[in-house]
Amino acid sequence: MSEISLISTNIRQDSKPLRIAVLVSGSGSNLQVLIDAMQAGALPIEIVGVISNREDAYAITRAKDADIPVAVLSHVASGKRMGIKTFENHASSQLALWQPDLIVLAGFMRVLSADFIDNAPAPMINLHPSLLPIYKGLDTHQRAIQAGERHHGCSIHVVTAELDAGTVLTQALLEIHQRDTADSLQARVQKLEHQLLPWTILLLAKGALSLDHAQAANQQSMSLPTLPLKLYLND
C-alpha cells in the first residue's frame, strides 16, 4: 500500500472529490503525478482543467492523453505573445466555467496580479523549489549552492500578490551534497516535489489542512505563527 493510501485511511472520507484546475508552463511532471494518483484512486480529486501559457508545454500532451480539458493561452490571434492582462482575462473566464475548488500552480512561470488572485473562483497554491521564505523567485538551486547551504528543498504556499510570500503549508527537505550541481540538485528536489504535492492536496481534500486558516495566518501580525502546519519529507 502506498503512503498516500495509508494516510487516506486515517482521515475522514468526503463523498465529493476536490475539483482542481492546474496552471502550467513546462513539462508537467507534477501534473502527471496528480493525474496518475487521480486515476489510481489514491487522491480524491477531479482535475477539471489545465491552463498553459505556453503552446509548446509538454504538460498539454499529458492532459490531453488523460482526457482533461486544456486551455492554451500563449498567443493572440495575430501571433503576438499574449500579455499578462489578456492572459488573466481569458484564464479568469475559463476558471469561471470550470469552477474548481482549488487552483494549483505547478511549474507555472508567469507572475499573476493581485486582482486576478483576489477574484479567482478558488484559492491558489504554488509549488516553489526552495525552502521558503529563503530563495524566492528564480535560480533557486544555484543560489542555494553558491550560498553554501546545507539543506534545500521545496515548499507549497498560498498564492498572494507578493511573489512567493504567501503562507507556507508544507515543505520537503534534503541535504545538499558536496558534488551537487544546480542540475543535479534540481533533479533531486523534483523527486521531493512529486511526493509533496499529492500529500498536500490530500491533506486539503480531507480537511486535515485548511486554506482558510492559512490565509488568516498570512494576514495576522508577524509576531504570531504563520505556519499552521508543516509536512517535512526527507530525501
Side-chain angles (χ1 to χ4, degrees):
M1 184 180 291
S2 71
E3 290 178 332
I4 292 177
S5 298
L6 281 170
I7 194 171
S8 64
T9 63
N10 295 323
I11 303 176
R12 65 179 177 84
Q13 298 292 323
D14 292 326
S15 57
K16 294 178 64 176
L18 191 71
R19 294 170 56 84
I20 293 177
V22 185
L23 273 61
V24 298
S25 296
S27 70
S29 65
N30 280 291
L31 171 64
Q32 188 65 57
V33 168
L34 296 183
I35 291 172
D36 292 344
M38 176 183 69
Q39 292 178 337
L43 271 181
I45 63 171
E46 178 188 359
I47 303 175
V48 296
V50 171
I51 295 176
S52 175
N53 71 309
R54 291 180 59 95
E55 62 185 0
D56 59 348
Y58 187 66
I60 296 169
T61 299
R62 297 181 190 273
K64 289 182 176 179
D65 286 347
D67 294 322
I68 296 170
V70 178
V72 180
L73 305 177
S74 61
H75 294 76
V76 295
S78 66
K80 184 179 179 181
R81 185 172 184 264
M82 192 175 289
I84 188 61
K85 288 186 178 180
T86 303
F87 170 87
E88 289 183 343
N89 287 336
H90 286 286
S92 292
S93 298
Q94 189 62 69
L95 290 170
L97 289 174
W98 287 336
Q99 284 298 302
D101 302 312
L102 179 69
I103 301 167
V104 178
L105 277 55
F108 182 71
M109 301 303 291
R110 297 202 79 167
V111 178
L112 299 169
S113 70
D115 185 63
F116 178 82
I117 295 166
D118 292 342
N119 291 287
M124 296 186 199
I125 60 173
N126 180 52
L127 176 60
H128 181 74
S130 81
L131 296 174
L132 293 173
I134 60 172
Y135 304 120
K136 300 174 183 179
L138 302 175
D139 302 320
T140 60
H141 311 299
Q142 186 63 45
R143 288 158 64 194
I145 291 173
Q146 289 177 339
E149 299 284 0
R150 292 182 57 193
H151 296 95
H152 189 47
C154 52
S155 307
I156 294 178
H157 67 93
V158 178
V159 176
T160 62
E162 185 179 352
L163 181 65
D164 299 329
T167 300
V168 175
L169 300 174
T170 56
Q171 294 184 315
L173 180 75
L174 56 72
E175 183 177 352
I176 297 178
H177 298 157
Q178 188 173 6
R179 65 181 181 276
D180 267 324
T181 64
D183 288 341
S184 68
L185 191 55
Q186 178 181 8
R188 294 176 62 216
V189 169
Q190 189 174 64
K191 291 181 180 179
L192 288 183
E193 292 175 359
H194 293 169
Q195 300 175 69
L196 187 67
L197 184 59
W199 266 93
T200 305
I201 290 176
L202 180 63
L203 293 174
L204 290 168
K206 295 301 183 181
L209 183 59
S210 171
L211 281 173
D212 291 336
H213 293 160
Q215 290 170 324
N218 199 58
Q219 296 169 356
Q220 291 173 347
S221 166
M222 291 302 292
S223 64
L224 297 176
T226 58
L227 303 178
L229 174 65
K230 277 195 178 183
L231 171 66
Y232 284 105
L233 296 172
N234 290 289
D235 178 42

